[in-house]
Amino acid sequence: MVYEATAERFDKMTYNKAGHSGLKLPAVSLGLWHHFGGVHPFEHARSMFRAAFDAGIVHFDLANNYGPPPGSAEETMGRMLRTDFAPYRDELIISTKAGYPMWEGPYGDGGSKKHVTASLDQSLKRMGLDYVDIFYSHRPDPKTPLEETMETLAGFVRQGKALYIGLSNYSPDETERAADLLQQAGGRLAIHQPQYSMLNREPENGLLDVLEKKGVGCIAFAPLAQGLLTTKYVSGIPSGSRAKDANSPFLQSDHVTERIVRRAQKLNEIAEKRGQTLPQMALAWLLKDPRLTSVLIGASQVRHIEENVRMLQSLPFSDEELAVIEAILNETIKGE
């Protein structure tokens, strides 16, 4: 059956500019870090792609090593483009990254021109694309001069292989220097992707200020703290969860402490009073900051996508609600 997207899809979503660039991203973006690799059924991934796009999510975020196995999430993206989304390519923002280990040998990771160029070429081939909308340096590489990495990224824009440049996992100082180097190389930093949630507020320690100063957007990954900010862990660790999977690269059981569970329970009570689920409140809490362009969700079921997008119907937080949330977070962070 030929896929036809819903006509009203854009009416369901809010779109925000990434800093001072012309790039707009949906307030909710879909990450393909897990559940979209070669070990997962294509039709299940396809149902989530379709549900996301029909909900107005036009941004799909990847990296060269996403899977498992590495590279297979991009292959799934390429297959989706061929089967369903080729007519909609100009409505999509597709991003990918390089910087973490991807293949054997001295050029298989890092920020060198050799690795980053080869990685982008491989990603384009896997997805069947001429260009990506955003290309990220996935992490800083202390063994490569930052000038080399930034000059390479700026060159991709000039070559038409990428439209916008992004960074991920860079410190505030590294981000500011990278933005300056990009500008010197004739490029521009459009967006930064840090890990950010109610339970991980590190970007508040200088990064968000740097992004605002430099006119750079921000998209938060792991906004639900890898599932800790869902109702799944309010009563402990359920069977079948990520934390029960000893082989999972994500959440482990020792992360689900009594303090975390108690915090989630209290936050869940506030969410219920607001007429929301805990994940919806956690996403809305991030997006209350105008410096946030988008939140990058993961999903294993269509219902997760639909639930998260309904967050956009949230009422604004009252000063009293924000004060109570802050007290809960500060109470349990102390001493950890």
Side-chain angles (χ1 to χ4, degrees), residues 22 47 58-59 76 99 114 138-139 150-151 181 183 203 213 220-221 226 245 247 269 290 298 304 319 323 331:
S47 67
V58 297
H59 178 211
T76 298
K114 171 68 173 177
H138 209 165
R139 62 171 176 171
M150 296 304 111
E151 288 170 0
L181 288 170
Q183 188 171 21
K213 173 184 175 183
F221 78 86
Q226 297 183 16
D245 183 359
N247 297 316
E269 291 174 2
H304 296 156
D319 291 340
E331 171 192 352

Side-chain angles (χ1 to χ4, degrees), residues 26-299:
V28 179
S29 300
L30 182 63
L32 276 61
W33 187 11
H34 205 48
H35 300 294
F36 294 90
V39 299
H40 298 96
F42 174 74
E43 287 304 322
H44 185 61
R46 188 183 201 182
S47 67
M48 289 192 284
F49 272 108
R50 290 181 170 189
F53 193 61
D54 284 339
I57 295 177
V58 297
H59 178 211
F60 298 95
D61 180 81
L62 301 107
N64 57 354
N65 61 340
Y66 287 0
S72 60
E74 290 181 330
E75 291 172 350
T76 298
M77 183 77 244
R79 186 175 174 186
M80 279 300 312
L81 287 165
R82 292 191 300 273
T83 60
D84 287 19
F85 284 94
Y88 305 102
R89 173 62 183 102
D90 293 336
E91 298 177 18
L92 299 176
I93 297 292
I94 298 174
S95 61
T96 195
K97 315 176 188 74
Y100 280 99
M102 182 60 187
W103 62 86
E104 298 297 325
Y107 313 117
D109 73 339
S112 70
K113 184 173 185 177
K114 171 68 173 177
H115 169 70
V116 175
T117 301
S119 180
L120 177 54
D121 286 344
Q122 291 174 18
S123 293
L124 293 174
K125 184 177 181 179
R126 281 191 287 267
M127 291 187 283
L129 294 173
D130 296 322
Y131 70 93
V132 290
D133 297 278
I134 308 171
F135 187 76
Y136 287 89
S137 172
H138 209 165
R139 62 171 176 171
D141 176 10
K143 297 181 179 180
T144 299
L146 191 58
E147 291 87 345
E148 179 177 335
T149 305
M150 296 304 111
E151 288 170 0
T152 303
L153 297 182
F156 291 157
V157 174
R158 288 193 296 272
Q159 296 162 27
K161 292 182 176 181
L163 302 186
Y164 296 94
I165 298 167
L167 303 177
S168 185
N169 300 304
Y170 278 60
S171 72
D173 289 344
E174 291 166 337
T175 299
E176 185 161 15
R177 183 161 174 254
D180 291 339
L181 288 170
L182 277 170
Q183 188 171 21
Q184 294 170 20
R188 181 189 184 93
L189 180 59
I191 195 156
H192 191 290
Q193 186 179 131
Q195 186 169 350
Y196 187 22
S197 72
M198 281 180 158
L199 304 184
N200 182 350
R201 301 174 67 177
E202 183 60 30
E204 297 172 12
N205 296 326
L207 179 62
L208 291 176
D209 291 334
V210 168
L211 299 183
E212 184 175 27
K213 173 184 175 183
K214 294 296 183 179
V216 178
C218 182
I219 177 169
F221 78 86
L224 300 181
Q226 297 183 16
L228 288 173
L229 290 170
T230 68
T231 54
K232 183 185 299 183
Y233 296 100
V234 167
S235 300
I237 307 177
S239 60
S241 70
R242 285 179 178 176
K244 282 288 190 183
D245 183 359
N247 297 316
S248 172
F250 306 100
L251 190 64
Q252 298 298 319
S253 59
D254 58 356
H255 296 164
V256 190
T257 64
E258 290 184 11
R259 287 177 174 174
I260 291 291
V261 171
R262 186 167 62 250
R263 184 190 306 186
Q265 289 170 337
K266 292 182 178 181
L267 292 172
N268 190 52
E269 291 174 2
I270 298 173
E272 289 179 345
K273 291 178 182 178
R274 285 173 51 82
Q276 292 179 298
T277 64
L278 177 54
Q280 288 171 338
M281 187 180 78
L283 298 177
W285 183 86
L286 287 174
L287 287 169
K288 75 184 187 309
D289 190 326
R291 294 173 293 187
L292 265 288
T293 307
S294 182
V295 289
L296 187 59
I297 65 168

